[in-house]
Amino acid sequence: MTVVNNLGKIDSLVLANYILETVGKMSHLKLQKLLYLVQGYHLAYFGKPLIDDKFEAWVHGPVSRKVFGSLKDKSLLYADICYRYTSV
């Protein structure tokens, strides 16, 4: 159980980028729902949240305002978005 006790929170943008990099192109809606499911699974399994974001109840499902705000200029709600690596 030491692994569970040492788990920390991660930034929701890092999680979103990981999902996009791993799964591939998807819509904002799908990404938001996957973030919500990951958060819910983590809460249920480990008893604590993985990210600090509060999800809002929008018409088409849960939305993290932070992730939505960072990606809203990159695509439309139903258009596919994908992970793009940029070196710093």
Side-chain angles (χ1 to χ4, degrees):
M1 281 304 212
T2 58
V3 173
V4 174
N5 293 334
N6 293 333
L7 288 176
K9 293 182 182 179
I10 62 171
D11 186 68
S12 57
L13 297 175
V14 172
L15 180 58
N17 281 334
Y18 176 78
I19 291 171
L20 288 170
E21 183 179 9
T22 305
V23 178
K25 291 194 285 189
M26 65 184 68
S27 68
H28 268 289
L29 295 173
K30 184 174 182 178
L31 177 61
Q32 293 287 347
K33 289 177 183 179
L34 285 173
L35 288 169
Y36 185 75
L37 288 172
V38 168
Q39 176 79 330
Y41 178 81
H42 198 274
L43 278 168
Y45 194 75
F46 296 111
K48 50 187 169 183
L50 181 62
I51 58 177
D52 281 330
D53 294 23
K54 301 293 182 207
F55 287 89
E56 299 176 7
W58 286 19
V59 173
H60 298 289
V63 171
S64 162
R65 179 68 77 166
K66 181 178 179 181
V67 173
F68 182 80
S70 73
L71 296 173
K72 70 180 178 182
D73 60 336
K74 293 177 179 52
S75 75
L76 300 172
L77 191 59
Y78 294 99
D80 284 345
I81 53 178
C82 62
Y83 175 76
R84 295 196 198 290
Y85 174 76
T86 55
S87 61
V88 178

Coordinates of all heavy atoms in Angstrom, one line a residue:
M1 N 0.8 -1.2 0.0 CA 0.0 0.0 0.0 C 0.8 1.3 0.0 O 0.3 2.3 0.0 CB -0.9 0.0 1.2 CG -2.2 -0.9 1.0 SD -3.0 -0.3 -0.5 CE -4.6 -0.7 -0.1
T2 N 2.2 1.2 0.0 CA 3.0 2.4 0.0 C 2.9 3.2 -1.3 O 3.0 4.4 -1.3 CB 4.5 2.0 0.2 OG1 4.9 1.1 -0.8 CG2 4.7 1.4 1.6
V3 N 2.6 2.5 -2.4 CA 2.4 3.2 -3.7 C 1.2 4.0 -3.6 O 1.2 5.2 -4.0 CB 2.3 2.1 -4.8 CG1 2.0 2.9 -6.1 CG2 3.6 1.4 -5.0
V4 N 0.1 3.5 -3.1 CA -1.1 4.3 -3.0 C -0.9 5.5 -2.1 O -1.4 6.6 -2.4 CB -2.3 3.4 -2.4 CG1 -3.5 4.3 -2.2 CG2 -2.6 2.3 -3.4
N5 N -0.2 5.4 -1.0 CA 0.0 6.5 -0.1 C 0.9 7.6 -0.7 O 0.8 8.8 -0.3 CB 0.6 6.0 1.2 CG -0.4 5.2 2.0 OD1 -1.6 5.3 1.8 ND2 0.1 4.3 2.8
N6 N 1.7 7.3 -1.7 CA 2.6 8.2 -2.3 C 2.1 8.9 -3.5 O 2.8 9.7 -4.1 CB 4.0 7.5 -2.6 CG 4.7 7.1 -1.3 OD1 4.5 7.8 -0.3 ND2 5.5 6.1 -1.4
L7 N 0.9 8.5 -4.0 CA 0.3 9.1 -5.2 C 0.0 10.6 -4.9 O -0.5 10.9 -3.9 CB -0.9 8.4 -5.6 CG -0.8 7.0 -6.2 CD1 -2.1 6.4 -6.4 CD2 0.0 7.0 -7.4
G8 N 0.4 11.4 -5.9 CA 0.1 12.8 -5.8 C -0.8 13.3 -6.9 O -1.2 12.5 -7.7
K9 N -1.2 14.5 -6.8 CA -2.1 15.1 -7.8 C -1.2 15.5 -9.0 O 0.0 15.8 -8.9 CB -2.8 16.2 -7.3 CG -3.8 15.9 -6.2 CD -4.6 17.1 -5.8 CE -5.6 16.6 -4.7 NZ -6.3 17.8 -4.2
I10 N -1.8 15.5 -10.2 CA -1.2 16.0 -11.4 C -2.0 17.1 -12.0 O -3.2 17.3 -11.7 CB -0.9 14.9 -12.4 CG1 -2.2 14.3 -12.9 CG2 0.0 13.8 -11.9 CD1 -2.0 13.4 -14.1
D11 N -1.4 17.9 -12.8 CA -2.1 19.0 -13.5 C -3.0 18.4 -14.5 O -2.7 17.5 -15.3 CB -1.1 19.9 -14.1 CG -1.7 21.2 -14.7 OD1 -2.2 22.0 -13.9 OD2 -1.7 21.3 -15.9
S12 N -4.2 19.0 -14.6 CA -5.2 18.5 -15.6 C -4.8 18.6 -17.0 O -5.1 17.8 -17.9 CB -6.6 19.1 -15.4 OG -6.4 20.5 -15.5
L13 N -4.0 19.6 -17.3 CA -3.5 19.8 -18.7 C -2.4 18.7 -19.1 O -2.4 18.3 -20.2 CB -2.8 21.2 -18.9 CG -3.8 22.4 -18.7 CD1 -3.1 23.7 -18.8 CD2 -4.9 22.3 -19.7
V14 N -1.7 18.3 -18.1 CA -0.7 17.2 -18.3 C -1.5 15.9 -18.6 O -1.2 15.1 -19.5 CB 0.2 17.0 -17.1 CG1 1.1 15.8 -17.2 CG2 1.1 18.2 -16.9
L15 N -2.6 15.7 -17.8 CA -3.4 14.5 -18.0 C -4.1 14.5 -19.4 O -4.1 13.5 -20.1 CB -4.4 14.4 -16.9 CG -5.4 13.2 -17.0 CD1 -4.6 11.9 -17.0 CD2 -6.4 13.2 -15.8
A16 N -4.6 15.7 -19.7 CA -5.2 15.8 -21.1 C -4.3 15.6 -22.2 O -4.6 14.8 -23.1 CB -5.8 17.2 -21.2
N17 N -3.0 16.1 -22.1 CA -2.0 15.8 -23.1 C -1.6 14.4 -23.1 O -1.4 13.8 -24.2 CB -0.8 16.7 -22.8 CG -0.9 18.1 -23.3 OD1 -1.7 18.4 -24.2 ND2 -0.2 19.0 -22.7
Y18 N -1.6 13.7 -22.0 CA -1.2 12.3 -21.9 C -2.3 11.5 -22.6 O -2.1 10.6 -23.4 CB -1.1 11.8 -20.5 CG -0.9 10.3 -20.4 CD1 0.4 9.8 -20.7 CD2 -1.9 9.5 -20.1 CE1 0.6 8.4 -20.6 CE2 -1.7 8.1 -20.0 CZ -0.5 7.6 -20.3 OH -0.3 6.2 -20.2
I19 N -3.6 11.8 -22.4 CA -4.7 11.1 -23.0 C -4.7 11.3 -24.5 O -4.8 10.4 -25.3 CB -6.1 11.6 -22.4 CG1 -6.2 11.1 -21.0 CG2 -7.2 11.1 -23.3 CD1 -7.4 11.7 -20.2
L20 N -4.4 12.5 -25.0 CA -4.4 12.8 -26.4 C -3.2 12.1 -27.1 O -3.3 11.6 -28.2 CB -4.3 14.3 -26.6 CG -5.6 15.1 -26.4 CD1 -5.3 16.6 -26.4 CD2 -6.7 14.7 -27.4
E21 N -2.1 12.1 -26.4 CA -0.9 11.4 -26.9 C -1.1 9.9 -27.0 O -0.7 9.3 -28.0 CB 0.3 11.7 -26.1 CG 1.6 11.2 -26.6 CD 2.8 11.5 -25.7 OE1 2.6 12.1 -24.6 OE2 3.9 11.3 -26.1
T22 N -1.7 9.3 -26.0 CA -1.9 7.9 -25.9 C -3.0 7.4 -26.8 O -2.9 6.4 -27.5 CB -2.2 7.5 -24.4 OG1 -1.1 8.0 -23.6 CG2 -2.2 6.0 -24.3
V23 N -4.2 8.0 -26.7 CA -5.4 7.6 -27.4 C -5.4 8.1 -28.9 O -5.8 7.4 -29.8 CB -6.6 8.0 -26.7 CG1 -7.9 7.5 -27.4 CG2 -6.6 7.4 -25.3
G24 N -5.0 9.3 -29.1 CA -5.0 9.9 -30.4 C -6.1 10.9 -30.6 O -6.6 11.5 -29.5
K25 N -6.4 11.3 -31.8 CA -7.4 12.4 -32.0 C -8.7 12.1 -31.4 O -9.2 10.9 -31.4 CB -7.5 12.6 -33.5 CG -6.3 13.2 -34.2 CD -6.6 13.7 -35.6 CE -6.8 12.6 -36.6 NZ -6.9 13.1 -37.9
M26 N -9.3 13.1 -30.9 CA -10.7 13.0 -30.3 C -11.3 14.4 -30.2 O -10.6 15.4 -30.3 CB -10.7 12.3 -29.0 CG -10.0 13.1 -27.9 SD -9.9 12.2 -26.3 CE -8.8 10.9 -26.7
S27 N -12.6 14.4 -30.0 CA -13.3 15.7 -29.8 C -13.1 16.2 -28.4 O -12.7 15.5 -27.5 CB -14.8 15.5 -30.1 OG -15.4 14.7 -29.1
H28 N -13.4 17.5 -28.2 CA -13.4 18.1 -26.9 C -14.3 17.3 -26.0 O -14.0 17.1 -24.8 CB -13.9 19.6 -26.9 CG -12.9 20.6 -27.1 ND1 -12.0 20.9 -26.1 CD2 -12.6 21.4 -28.2 CE1 -11.2 21.9 -26.6 NE2 -11.6 22.2 -27.8
L29 N -15.5 16.9 -26.5 CA -16.5 16.2 -25.7 C -15.9 14.9 -25.1 O -16.0 14.6 -24.0 CB -17.7 15.9 -26.5 CG -18.5 17.1 -26.9 CD1 -19.7 16.7 -27.9 CD2 -19.1 17.9 -25.7
K30 N -15.3 14.2 -26.0 CA -14.7 12.9 -25.6 C -13.6 13.1 -24.6 O -13.5 12.4 -23.6 CB -14.2 12.1 -26.8 CG -13.7 10.7 -26.5 CD -13.3 9.9 -27.7 CE -12.9 8.5 -27.3 NZ -12.6 7.7 -28.5
L31 N -12.7 14.1 -24.8 CA -11.6 14.3 -23.9 C -12.1 14.7 -22.5 O -11.7 14.2 -21.5 CB -10.7 15.4 -24.5 CG -9.6 15.9 -23.6 CD1 -8.6 14.7 -23.3 CD2 -8.8 17.1 -24.2
Q32 N -13.1 15.6 -22.5 CA -13.7 16.0 -21.2 C -14.3 14.8 -20.5 O -14.2 14.7 -19.3 CB -14.7 17.1 -21.4 CG -14.2 18.4 -21.9 CD -13.4 19.2 -20.9 OE1 -13.4 18.9 -19.7 NE2 -12.7 20.2 -21.3
K33 N -15.0 13.9 -21.2 CA -15.6 12.8 -20.6 C -14.6 11.8 -20.1 O -14.7 11.2 -19.0 CB -16.6 12.1 -21.5 CG -17.8 13.0 -21.7 CD -18.8 12.4 -22.7 CE -20.0 13.3 -22.9 NZ -20.9 12.8 -23.9
L34 N -13.5 11.6 -20.8 CA -12.4 10.8 -20.3 C -11.7 11.3 -19.1 O -11.4 10.6 -18.2 CB -11.4 10.5 -21.4 CG -11.8 9.6 -22.6 CD1 -10.8 9.6 -23.7 CD2 -12.0 8.2 -22.0
L35 N -11.5 12.6 -19.1 CA -10.9 13.3 -17.9 C -11.8 13.0 -16.7 O -11.4 12.7 -15.6 CB -10.8 14.8 -18.1 CG -9.6 15.2 -19.0 CD1 -9.8 16.7 -19.3 CD2 -8.3 14.9 -18.4
Y36 N -13.1 13.2 -16.9 CA -14.1 13.0 -15.8 C -14.1 11.5 -15.3 O -14.1 11.3 -14.1 CB -15.5 13.4 -16.3 CG -16.6 13.4 -15.2 CD1 -16.6 14.3 -14.2 CD2 -17.5 12.3 -15.2 CE1 -17.6 14.3 -13.3 CE2 -18.5 12.3 -14.2 CZ -18.5 13.3 -13.3 OH -19.5 13.3 -12.3
L37 N -14.0 10.6 -16.2 CA -14.0 9.2 -15.9 C -12.7 8.8 -15.1 O -12.8 8.0 -14.2 CB -14.2 8.3 -17.1 CG -15.6 8.3 -17.7 CD1 -15.6 7.6 -19.1 CD2 -16.6 7.7 -16.8
V38 N -11.6 9.3 -15.6 CA -10.3 9.1 -14.9 C -10.4 9.6 -13.5 O -10.0 8.9 -12.5 CB -9.1 9.7 -15.7 CG1 -7.9 9.7 -14.9 CG2 -8.9 8.9 -17.0
Q39 N -10.9 10.8 -13.3 CA -11.0 11.4 -12.0 C -11.9 10.6 -11.1 O -11.6 10.3 -9.9 CB -11.6 12.8 -12.1 CG -11.8 13.5 -10.8 CD -10.6 14.1 -10.1 OE1 -9.5 13.5 -10.3 NE2 -10.7 15.1 -9.4
G40 N -13.1 10.1 -11.6 CA -14.0 9.3 -10.9 C -13.4 8.0 -10.5 O -13.6 7.5 -9.4
Y41 N -12.7 7.3 -11.4 CA -12.1 6.1 -11.1 C -11.1 6.2 -10.0 O -11.0 5.4 -9.1 CB -11.5 5.5 -12.4 CG -10.8 4.2 -12.2 CD1 -11.5 3.0 -12.1 CD2 -9.4 4.1 -12.0 CE1 -10.9 1.8 -11.8 CE2 -8.8 2.9 -11.8 CZ -9.5 1.8 -11.7 OH -8.8 0.6 -11.5
H42 N -10.3 7.3 -10.2 CA -9.2 7.5 -9.2 C -9.8 7.7 -7.8 O -9.3 7.2 -6.8 CB -8.3 8.6 -9.6 CG -7.0 8.7 -8.9 ND1 -6.8 9.3 -7.7 CD2 -5.8 8.2 -9.3 CE1 -5.6 9.2 -7.3 NE2 -4.9 8.5 -8.2
L43 N -10.9 8.5 -7.7 CA -11.6 8.8 -6.5 C -12.1 7.5 -5.9 O -12.0 7.3 -4.6 CB -12.7 9.8 -6.7 CG -12.3 11.3 -6.7 CD1 -13.5 12.1 -7.2 CD2 -11.9 11.7 -5.3
A44 N -12.7 6.7 -6.7 CA -13.3 5.4 -6.2 C -12.3 4.4 -5.8 O -12.4 3.8 -4.7 CB -14.2 4.8 -7.3
Y45 N -11.2 4.3 -6.5 CA -10.2 3.3 -6.2 C -9.2 3.7 -5.1 O -8.8 2.9 -4.3 CB -9.4 3.0 -7.5 CG -8.6 1.7 -7.5 CD1 -9.2 0.5 -7.5 CD2 -7.2 1.8 -7.3 CE1 -8.5 -0.7 -7.4 CE2 -6.5 0.6 -7.3 CZ -7.1 -0.6 -7.3 OH -6.4 -1.8 -7.2
F46 N -8.8 5.0 -5.2 CA -7.7 5.4 -4.2 C -8.3 6.3 -3.1 O -7.6 6.6 -2.2 CB -6.6 6.1 -4.9 CG -5.8 5.2 -5.9 CD1 -6.0 5.5 -7.3 CD2 -5.0 4.2 -5.5 CE1 -5.3 4.6 -8.2 CE2 -4.3 3.4 -6.3 CZ -4.5 3.6 -7.7
G47 N -9.5 6.8 -3.2 CA -10.1 7.6 -2.2 C -9.7 9.0 -2.2 O -10.0 9.8 -1.2
K48 N -9.0 9.5 -3.2 CA -8.6 10.9 -3.3 C -8.5 11.3 -4.8 O -8.3 10.5 -5.7 CB -7.3 11.1 -2.6 CG -6.1 10.3 -3.0 CD -4.9 10.6 -2.0 CE -3.9 9.5 -2.2 NZ -2.8 9.7 -1.2
P49 N -8.7 12.6 -5.1 CA -8.7 13.0 -6.5 C -7.3 13.0 -7.1 O -6.3 13.1 -6.4 CB -9.2 14.5 -6.4 CG -8.9 14.9 -5.0 CD -9.0 13.7 -4.1
L50 N -7.3 12.9 -8.4 CA -6.1 12.9 -9.2 C -5.7 14.3 -9.6 O -4.6 14.6 -9.7 CB -6.2 12.0 -10.4 CG -5.0 11.8 -11.3 CD1 -3.8 11.2 -10.6 CD2 -5.3 11.0 -12.5
I51 N -6.8 15.1 -9.9 CA -6.6 16.5 -10.4 C -7.4 17.4 -9.5 O -8.4 16.9 -8.9 CB -6.9 16.7 -11.9 CG1 -8.4 16.2 -12.1 CG2 -6.0 15.9 -12.8 CD1 -8.9 16.5 -13.6
D52 N -7.1 18.7 -9.5 CA -7.8 19.6 -8.6 C -9.0 20.3 -9.3 O -9.7 21.0 -8.6 CB -6.8 20.7 -8.2 CG -6.0 20.3 -7.0 OD1 -6.4 19.4 -6.2 OD2 -4.8 20.8 -6.9
D53 N -9.2 20.0 -10.6 CA -10.2 20.7 -11.3 C -11.6 20.3 -10.8 O -11.9 19.2 -10.4 CB -10.2 20.4 -12.8 CG -9.0 20.9 -13.5 OD1 -8.0 21.1 -12.8 OD2 -9.0 21.0 -14.7
K54 N -12.5 21.3 -10.8 CA -13.9 21.1 -10.5 C -14.6 21.0 -11.8 O -14.5 21.9 -12.6 CB -14.5 22.2 -9.6 CG -13.8 22.4 -8.3 CD -14.0 21.3 -7.4 CE -13.3 21.6 -6.0 NZ -13.0 20.4 -5.4
F55 N -15.4 19.9 -12.0 CA -16.1 19.7 -13.3 C -17.4 20.5 -13.2 O -18.1 20.4 -12.2 CB -16.2 18.2 -13.6 CG -15.0 17.6 -14.0 CD1 -14.1 17.0 -13.0 CD2 -14.6 17.5 -15.3 CE1 -12.9 16.4 -13.4 CE2 -13.4 16.9 -15.7 CZ -12.6 16.4 -14.8
E56 N -17.7 21.1 -14.3 CA -19.0 21.8 -14.4 C -20.0 20.9 -15.2 O -19.6 20.2 -16.1 CB -18.8 23.1 -15.1 CG -17.9 24.1 -14.4 CD -17.6 25.4 -15.2 OE1 -18.3 25.6 -16.3 OE2 -16.8 26.1 -14.8
A57 N -21.3 21.0 -14.9 CA -22.3 20.2 -15.6 C -22.8 21.1 -16.8 O -23.5 22.0 -16.6 CB -23.4 19.9 -14.7
W58 N -22.3 20.7 -18.0 CA -22.7 21.4 -19.2 C -23.7 20.5 -19.9 O -24.0 19.3 -19.5 CB -21.5 21.6 -20.1 CG -20.7 22.7 -19.7 CD1 -20.6 23.3 -18.4 CD2 -19.7 23.4 -20.5 NE1 -19.6 24.3 -18.4 CE2 -19.1 24.4 -19.6 CE3 -19.3 23.4 -21.8 CZ2 -18.1 25.3 -20.1 CZ3 -18.3 24.2 -22.2 CH2 -17.7 25.2 -21.4
V59 N -24.4 21.0 -20.9 CA -25.4 20.3 -21.6 C -25.0 18.9 -22.1 O -25.7 17.9 -22.0 CB -26.0 21.1 -22.8 CG1 -27.0 20.3 -23.6 CG2 -26.6 22.4 -22.3
H60 N -23.8 18.8 -22.7 CA -23.3 17.6 -23.3 C -22.4 16.7 -22.4 O -21.9 15.7 -22.8 CB -22.6 17.8 -24.6 CG -23.4 18.5 -25.6 ND1 -24.4 17.8 -26.3 CD2 -23.5 19.8 -26.1 CE1 -25.0 18.6 -27.1 NE2 -24.4 19.8 -27.0
G61 N -22.3 17.1 -21.1 CA -21.5 16.3 -20.2 C -20.6 17.2 -19.3 O -20.6 18.4 -19.4
P62 N -19.8 16.6 -18.5 CA -18.9 17.3 -17.5 C -17.8 18.0 -18.3 O -17.3 17.5 -19.3 CB -18.4 16.2 -16.6 CG -18.5 14.9 -17.5 CD -19.7 15.1 -18.3
V63 N -17.4 19.2 -17.8 CA -16.3 20.0 -18.4 C -15.4 20.5 -17.4 O -15.9 21.1 -16.4 CB -16.9 21.1 -19.2 CG1 -15.9 22.1 -19.7 CG2 -17.7 20.6 -20.4
S64 N -14.1 20.3 -17.6 CA -13.1 21.0 -16.8 C -12.9 22.4 -17.5 O -12.4 22.4 -18.6 CB -11.8 20.2 -16.7 OG -10.7 21.0 -16.4
R65 N -13.2 23.4 -16.8 CA -13.0 24.8 -17.4 C -11.6 25.1 -17.8 O -11.3 25.7 -18.8 CB -13.6 25.8 -16.4 CG -13.4 27.2 -16.9 CD -14.3 27.5 -18.0 NE -15.7 27.7 -17.6 CZ -16.7 28.2 -18.3 NH1 -16.4 28.7 -19.5 NH2 -17.9 28.3 -17.9
K66 N -10.6 24.6 -17.0 CA -9.2 24.8 -17.2 C -8.8 24.2 -18.6 O -8.1 24.8 -19.4 CB -8.4 24.3 -16.1 CG -6.9 24.4 -16.2 CD -6.2 23.9 -15.0 CE -4.7 24.0 -15.1 NZ -4.0 23.5 -14.0
V67 N -9.2 22.9 -18.8 CA -8.8 22.2 -20.0 C -9.5 22.8 -21.2 O -9.0 23.0 -22.3 CB -9.1 20.7 -19.9 CG1 -8.9 20.0 -21.2 CG2 -8.2 20.1 -18.8
F68 N -10.8 23.1 -21.0 CA -11.6 23.7 -22.1 C -11.0 25.0 -22.5 O -10.8 25.3 -23.7 CB -13.1 23.9 -21.7 CG -13.9 24.4 -22.8 CD1 -14.4 23.6 -23.8 CD2 -14.2 25.8 -22.8 CE1 -15.2 24.1 -24.8 CE2 -15.0 26.3 -23.8 CZ -15.5 25.5 -24.8
G69 N -10.6 25.8 -21.6 CA -10.1 27.1 -21.9 C -8.7 27.0 -22.6 O -8.4 27.9 -23.4
S70 N -8.0 26.0 -22.3 CA -6.6 25.9 -22.9 C -6.8 25.4 -24.4 O -5.9 25.6 -25.2 CB -5.7 25.0 -22.1 OG -6.1 23.7 -22.2
L71 N -7.9 24.7 -24.7 CA -8.0 24.0 -26.0 C -9.1 24.7 -26.9 O -9.2 24.3 -28.0 CB -8.3 22.5 -25.8 CG -7.2 21.7 -25.2 CD1 -7.7 20.3 -24.9 CD2 -6.0 21.7 -26.0
K72 N -9.8 25.6 -26.4 CA -11.0 26.1 -27.1 C -10.6 26.8 -28.4 O -11.4 26.8 -29.4 CB -11.9 27.0 -26.3 CG -11.2 28.3 -25.9 CD -12.2 29.2 -25.1 CE -11.5 30.5 -24.7 NZ -12.4 31.3 -23.8
D73 N -9.4 27.4 -28.5 CA -9.0 28.1 -29.7 C -8.4 27.2 -30.7 O -8.1 27.5 -31.8 CB -8.1 29.2 -29.4 CG -6.8 28.8 -28.7 OD1 -6.8 27.7 -28.1 OD2 -5.8 29.5 -28.8
K74 N -8.2 25.9 -30.3 CA -7.5 24.9 -31.2 C -8.5 24.1 -32.1 O -8.1 23.5 -33.0 CB -6.6 24.0 -30.4 CG -5.4 24.8 -29.8 CD -4.6 23.9 -29.0 CE -3.4 24.6 -28.4 NZ -3.7 25.8 -27.7
S75 N -9.8 24.1 -31.7 CA -10.8 23.3 -32.5 C -12.2 23.7 -32.1 O -12.4 24.4 -31.1 CB -10.6 21.8 -32.3 OG -11.0 21.4 -31.0
L76 N -13.1 23.2 -32.8 CA -14.5 23.4 -32.5 C -14.9 22.3 -31.5 O -14.2 21.3 -31.3 CB -15.4 23.3 -33.7 CG -15.1 24.4 -34.8 CD1 -15.9 24.1 -36.0 CD2 -15.4 25.8 -34.2
L77 N -16.1 22.4 -30.9 CA -16.5 21.4 -29.9 C -16.5 20.0 -30.4 O -16.2 19.1 -29.7 CB -17.9 21.8 -29.4 CG -18.4 21.1 -28.2 CD1 -17.5 21.3 -27.0 CD2 -19.8 21.6 -27.8
Y78 N -17.0 19.8 -31.7 CA -17.1 18.4 -32.2 C -15.9 18.0 -33.1 O -15.8 16.9 -33.5 CB -18.4 18.3 -33.0 CG -19.6 18.4 -32.1 CD1 -20.3 19.6 -32.0 CD2 -20.0 17.3 -31.4 CE1 -21.4 19.7 -31.2 CE2 -21.2 17.4 -30.6 CZ -21.8 18.6 -30.5 OH -23.0 18.7 -29.7
A79 N -15.0 19.0 -33.4 CA -13.9 18.7 -34.3 C -12.8 17.9 -33.5 O -12.7 18.1 -32.3 CB -13.3 19.9 -34.8
D80 N -12.0 17.1 -34.1 CA -11.0 16.4 -33.5 C -9.8 17.3 -33.1 O -9.4 18.2 -33.9 CB -10.4 15.3 -34.4 CG -11.4 14.1 -34.5 OD1 -12.3 14.0 -33.6 OD2 -11.2 13.3 -35.4
I81 N -9.2 17.0 -31.9 CA -8.0 17.7 -31.5 C -7.0 16.6 -31.3 O -7.3 15.4 -31.1 CB -8.2 18.5 -30.2 CG1 -8.8 17.6 -29.1 CG2 -9.0 19.7 -30.4 CD1 -9.0 18.3 -27.8
C82 N -5.7 16.9 -31.4 CA -4.7 15.9 -31.2 C -3.5 16.5 -30.5 O -3.3 17.7 -30.4 CB -4.2 15.3 -32.5 SG -3.5 16.5 -33.7
Y83 N -2.7 15.7 -29.9 CA -1.5 16.1 -29.2 C -0.4 16.5 -30.1 O -0.2 15.9 -31.1 CB -1.0 14.9 -28.4 CG 0.3 15.1 -27.6 CD1 0.3 15.9 -26.5 CD2 1.5 14.7 -28.1 CE1 1.5 16.2 -25.8 CE2 2.7 14.9 -27.5 CZ 2.7 15.7 -26.3 OH 3.8 15.9 -25.7
R84 N 0.2 17.6 -29.8 CA 1.3 18.2 -30.6 C 2.4 18.4 -29.7 O 2.3 19.3 -28.8 CB 0.9 19.4 -31.4 CG -0.2 19.2 -32.4 CD -0.2 20.5 -33.3 NE -1.4 20.6 -34.1 CZ -1.8 19.8 -35.1 NH1 -1.1 18.8 -35.4 NH2 -2.9 20.0 -35.7
Y85 N 3.5 17.8 -30.0 CA 4.7 18.0 -29.1 C 5.4 19.3 -29.6 O 5.7 19.5 -30.8 CB 5.7 16.8 -29.3 CG 7.0 17.0 -28.5 CD1 7.0 16.9 -27.2 CD2 8.1 17.3 -29.2 CE1 8.2 17.1 -26.5 CE2 9.3 17.6 -28.5 CZ 9.4 17.5 -27.2 OH 10.5 17.7 -26.5
T86 N 5.7 20.1 -28.6 CA 6.5 21.3 -28.9 C 7.7 21.4 -28.0 O 7.5 21.3 -26.8 CB 5.7 22.6 -28.8 OG1 5.1 22.6 -27.5 CG2 4.5 22.6 -29.8
S87 N 8.8 21.5 -28.5 CA 10.0 21.6 -27.7 C 10.2 23.0 -27.2 O 9.9 23.9 -27.9 CB 11.3 21.1 -28.4 OG 11.5 21.9 -29.5
V88 N 10.7 23.1 -26.0 CA 10.9 24.4 -25.4 C 12.3 24.9 -25.5 O 13.2 24.3 -25.5 CB 10.4 24.4 -23.9 CG1 10.7 25.7 -23.2 CG2 9.0 23.9 -23.8

